[in-house]
Amino acid sequence: MVRVTLRVLDGADRGRIFESLDTPVTIGREEGNIIQLNDERVSRFHVKIQSDGDRLVLTDLESTNGTRVNGEDVRLRVLKFGDLIQLGRTLVLIGSREQIEERLSHLPPQESKGWFRFRKNRTIEESQSDSGNPWTGTENLQDFLFNHEPPELPDDLTATQAAQLAELIDYMRLRLRGLVATVKEDKTGNVTLNAAEWQKLVDLNSRLAEMVRQIGEPDSTG
């Protein structure tokens, strides 16, 4: 069983630390949650964090205002130490400082603006003095976080599940390859995509969003 440490960086409960909690952990506004938050925009039972082998998995419990991880709306997500969870007005950091440092020590150095420069130049405590949110003023939250690290592929798949996953990834790869092939670059280095191909890209994004929703809500018909 994986234990989880959560630190509240922003919101009404700013500064609270919940150390080495046994999973599953539920977070919400109501009594009965392992972590009860004083945030009216947090649902009564908002999210659940559970362990699956050596992984932590977050599930949104059909919350009213939704859940974001590293700036992205999610319903189901494998968490990593250092991930940011936003629930209502509350910002929660996953992992102890030691767990985050251990994870970062195994990642390649990044030259672009991101977590590594943040860790080198400023501490969480120093950055919190701005507005309670250490990511205030960041140009692009997504680029600032861990999107350079691809997610791990699931293991212990059945032959059918592995074939389905391979087919899905190949579908996306072929669609993207076709779109990339139509991109044109001008003398200034800008690239353009015609309206028809742009619409295909938007459609692909929509299809992927639908797939993620179906995975998180297998009984959903919407």
Side-chain angles (χ1 to χ4, degrees), residues 167-212:
E167 184 179 6
L168 175 59
I169 293 174
D170 211 36
Y171 163 79
M172 292 185 292
R173 181 183 66 84
L174 292 173
R175 289 289 300 273
L176 289 172
R177 186 179 70 180
L179 289 168
V180 169
T182 67
V183 170
K184 297 180 180 179
E185 183 178 359
D186 62 24
K187 295 180 180 180
T188 66
N190 293 321
V191 296
T192 59
L193 193 67
N194 67 43
E197 299 305 321
W198 168 255
Q199 192 58 53
K200 291 179 183 179
L201 184 59
V202 172
D203 177 68
L204 179 59
N205 183 65
S206 175
R207 288 174 183 269
L208 292 175
E210 291 172 11
M211 291 176 187
V212 170

Side-chain angles (χ1 to χ4, degrees), residues 66-119:
T67 302
R68 290 187 172 190
V69 175
N70 300 338
E72 283 289 331
D73 292 318
V74 302
R75 293 183 178 274
L76 194 66
R77 175 64 62 90
V78 176
L79 297 173
K80 302 180 182 68
F81 297 132
D83 281 348
L84 282 172
I85 303 174
Q86 184 176 348
L87 318 168
R89 295 187 176 93
T90 301
L91 192 65
V92 178
L93 180 66
I94 293 291
S96 65
R97 290 179 178 84
E98 292 76 17
Q99 288 171 328
I100 295 172
E101 291 289 357
E102 172 66 16
R103 178 176 175 230
L104 293 179
S105 69
H106 291 89
L107 295 178
Q110 299 292 309
E111 298 299 326
S112 60
K113 183 176 182 180
W115 173 269
F116 297 91
R117 185 171 298 176
F118 170 78
R119 293 294 298 175

Side-chain angles (χ1 to χ4, degrees), residues 134-166:
W135 286 265
T136 298
T138 300
E139 296 177 2
N140 188 332
L141 179 61
Q142 295 305 95
D143 182 60
F144 190 67
L145 292 165
F146 297 115
N147 283 354
H148 57 268
E149 183 185 11
E152 296 180 1
L153 290 172
D155 48 22
D156 299 326
L157 296 175
T158 65
T160 299
Q161 290 171 331
Q164 288 176 312
L165 179 60

Side-chain angles (χ1 to χ4, degrees), residues 7-32:
R7 293 181 276 160
V8 182
L9 299 184
D10 199 12
D13 297 280
R14 183 195 308 177
R16 294 181 68 184
I17 300 176
F18 305 90
E19 292 196 51
S20 298
L21 300 178
D22 290 327
T23 52
V25 173
T26 56
I27 306 174
R29 199 180 68 248
E30 190 85 353
E31 290 185 10

Side-chain angles (χ1 to χ4, degrees), residues 58-72:
L58 176 144
T59 304
D60 180 90
L61 301 176
E62 299 184 1
S63 63
T64 301
N65 294 307
T67 302
R68 290 187 172 190
V69 175
N70 300 338
E72 283 289 331

